[in-house]
Amino acid sequence: EEKGFLRADRVVLFDNKLVIIDYKTGEQKSSHRKQLEEYAAVFSRMGYKEIEKKLIYLLPEVQVISF
């Protein structure tokens, strides 16, 4: 994990579940998943236990990937 500033596009808390959302354009890349995993690791250390991660690709067509 790199040290520095991390900023997810959107973080939503539903009851005890945290949802991290990041918007992307273009092709899917493994680095996109890694980026969300880094965000989740930080929130996990903050005490959040149930974390859902969503990548939303906007172009060329909308695709939502949850993991």
Side-chain angles (χ1 to χ4, degrees), residues 48-63:
Y48 293 96
K49 304 241 184 275
E50 190 175 349
I51 301 172
E52 182 177 351
K53 299 163 291 283
K54 291 185 178 282
L55 278 168
I56 301 178
Y57 290 90
L58 301 173
L59 296 174
E61 62 184 52
V62 176
Q63 277 188 299

Side-chain angles (χ1 to χ4, degrees), residues 17-60:
K17 181 179 183 179
L18 190 78
V19 182
I20 305 168
I21 302 168
D22 216 42
Y23 299 95
K24 301 291 184 191
T25 58
E27 295 181 13
Q28 296 182 33
K29 298 180 182 176
S30 61
S31 61
H32 298 162
R33 281 183 179 256
K34 183 177 183 283
Q35 183 181 19
L36 262 69
E37 293 293 353
E38 289 176 2
Y39 298 155
V42 170
F43 284 111
S44 179
R45 287 194 301 270
M46 293 170 63
Y48 293 96
K49 304 241 184 275
E50 190 175 349
I51 301 172
E52 182 177 351
K53 299 163 291 283
K54 291 185 178 282
L55 278 168
I56 301 178
Y57 290 90
L58 301 173
L59 296 174

